[in-house]
């Protein structure tokens, strides 16, 4: 399997893309409906509904794959990036980068937030100590906040792997199915469109205040921005490795580290500005993406299986 930048005449299977998008978003709204009919994110079973919602892109991808035969039988595992794991050496180092780099990018977004005045940092963790005390049952002993913070940070690598399990449900749909389906448009259009769809898909919970605490269209727009930024990076991992697994691990690592800003903030921050999905995160990711683009990393891609089973070379973008 060799890298290539050859153009391709393959076309986007638009009917399948539209069906996938409608299914993924429709199923997400269906799963989130009990939250809308109840107390929103305050519902006791919200912690169950959110992981179930993460499965809906995978369900949509499987429905489209088997009912519309996109991709065609014979290369489905390869099209979805599940198998084979070749070139093995590249996939291994991309898996390692996917596991370790997203938490560093989240940490960098915290520093950018502080530098731009989006958040005031408190290295004594006073605000976090108050939240910790309020989260415990009345009368319960409060553990030393420094120990809790250390444990939270030390657990991120393991939490990344655990979070990768539900993240697989999303990644099989977004980077496993949708990015290769859109790839004939060119690398950049495929990454931008898939990222925007990913952001819109979050609407059922974003409009309830999830992530940004905003219950109007501004929350959705912020999520689209964050998903486009992170989607470019996750999509690069997908296309550079010809495998969905690095994107799965990176998504899990992002979710594991996403709450770090709350630990270090002196007060509840505006996550639309200071969070990893907010403006500070966009700035950090823009720098990383620019470096990857300037070093030709988006043009160096192994072949993928086309939607109809034929090999698909990287189009010019």
């Amino acid at each position: 399997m060799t890298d290539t930048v050859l153009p391709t005449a393959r076309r986007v299977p638009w009917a399948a893309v539209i069906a996938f998008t409608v299914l993924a978003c429709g199923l997400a709204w269906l799963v989130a409906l009990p939250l809308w009919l109840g107390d929103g994110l305050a519902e006791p079973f919200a912690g169950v509904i959110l992981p179930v919602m993460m499965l809906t892109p995978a369900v949509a991808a499987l429905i489209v794959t088997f009912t519309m035969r996109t991709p065609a039988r014979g290369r489905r595992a390869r099209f979805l990036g599940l198998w084979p794991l070749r070139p093995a050496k590249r996939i291994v180092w991309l898996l390692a980068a996917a596991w370790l780099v997203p938490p560093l990018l989240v940490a960098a977004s915290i520093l950018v937030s502080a530098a731009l005045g989006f958040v005031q940092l408190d290295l004594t963790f006073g605000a976090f100590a108050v939240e910790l005390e309020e989260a415990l049952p009345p009368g319960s002993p409060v553990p030393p906040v420094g120990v809790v913070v250390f444990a939270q940070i030390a657990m991120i690598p393991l939490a990344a792997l655990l979070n990768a399990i539900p993240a697989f449900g999303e990644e099989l749909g977004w980077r496993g199915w949708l990015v290769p389906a859109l790839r004939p448009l060119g690398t950049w259009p495929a990454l931008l469109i898939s990222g925007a769809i990913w952001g819109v898909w979050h609407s059922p919970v974003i409009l309830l205040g999830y992530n940004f605490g905003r219950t109007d269209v501004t929350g959705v727009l912020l999520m689209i921005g964050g998903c486009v930024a992170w989607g470019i990076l996750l999509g690069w991992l997908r296309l550079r490795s010809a495998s969905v697994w690095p994107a799965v691990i990176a998504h899990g690592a992002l979710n594991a580290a996403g709450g770090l800003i709350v630990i270090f903030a002196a007060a509840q921050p505006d996550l639309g500005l200071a969070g990893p999905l907010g403006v500070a995160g966009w700035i950090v990711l823009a720098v990383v993406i620019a470096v990857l683009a300037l070093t030709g990393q988006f043009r160096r891609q192994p072949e993928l299986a086309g939607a109809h089973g034929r090999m698909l070379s990287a189009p010019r973008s």
Side-chain angles (χ1 to χ4, degrees):
M1 183 183 297
T2 58
D3 291 348
T4 178
V5 292
L6 297 176
T8 177
R10 294 294 311 141
R11 292 186 298 176
V12 174
W14 283 113
V17 168
I18 293 170
F20 166 81
T21 303
V22 171
L23 278 169
C25 294
L27 289 171
W29 275 100
L30 183 63
V31 170
L33 186 59
L35 300 180
W36 282 83
L37 296 177
D39 293 329
L41 299 175
E43 285 288 347
F45 48 81
V48 175
I49 284 181
L50 295 177
V52 172
M53 181 176 158
M54 294 176 72
L55 296 175
T56 58
V59 173
L62 294 175
I63 290 174
V64 171
T65 294
F66 288 101
T67 62
M68 303 184 72
R69 299 180 181 179
T70 305
R73 185 180 301 175
R75 287 195 179 273
R76 286 170 177 168
R78 187 183 185 106
F79 179 90
L80 295 171
L82 297 172
W83 191 263
L85 301 180
R86 295 197 308 264
K89 183 177 180 181
R90 180 184 301 159
I91 291 176
V92 168
W93 76 259
L94 285 174
L95 281 170
W99 184 38
L100 299 174
V101 171
L104 298 179
L105 298 181
V106 172
S109 73
I110 295 174
L111 297 178
V112 169
S113 297
L116 295 178
F118 295 160
V119 66
Q120 181 180 352
L121 301 184
D122 178 11
L123 298 184
T124 67
F125 313 113
F128 180 66
V130 172
E131 288 194 15
L132 179 64
E133 184 175 2
E134 291 177 350
L136 293 172
S140 299
V142 180
V145 66
V147 173
V148 175
V149 170
F150 176 81
Q152 293 264 2
I153 295 174
M155 282 293 292
I156 287 177
L158 176 59
L161 299 178
L162 296 176
N163 275 277
I165 297 172
F168 173 77
E170 286 196 50
E171 290 307 313
L172 185 65
W174 307 128
R175 259 61 63 177
W177 192 91
L178 186 58
V179 166
L182 293 172
R183 193 166 176 251
L185 294 174
T187 297
W188 287 102
L191 297 179
L192 293 172
I193 293 172
S194 61
I197 294 173
W198 182 28
V200 171
W201 169 85
H202 286 86
S203 297
V205 291
I206 296 299
L207 292 172
L208 290 173
Y210 193 67
N211 278 114
F212 304 109
R214 290 171 167 85
T215 56
D216 56 20
V217 71
T218 60
V220 176
L221 293 175
L222 284 167
M223 195 64 185
I224 291 173
C227 286
V228 167
W230 281 98
I232 292 173
L233 187 60
L234 298 181
W236 171 75
L237 287 169
R238 167 70 171 101
L239 295 176
R240 189 71 180 91
S241 65
S243 170
V244 75
W245 298 112
V248 170
I249 296 299
H251 194 152
L254 168 61
N255 288 352
L260 282 177
I261 182 69
V262 177
I263 294 177
F264 290 95
Q268 178 63 38
D270 181 349
L271 296 180
L273 296 175
L277 292 167
V279 174
W282 303 354
I283 294 171
V284 171
L285 289 168
V287 172
V288 174
I289 292 165
V291 171
L292 291 173
L294 291 173
T295 55
Q297 289 297 314
F298 285 93
R299 291 178 55 81
R300 297 165 58 188
Q301 301 171 17
E303 293 177 328
L304 300 181
H308 298 284
R310 295 191 294 181
M311 295 309 297
L312 184 64
S313 299
R316 295 187 184 278
S317 55

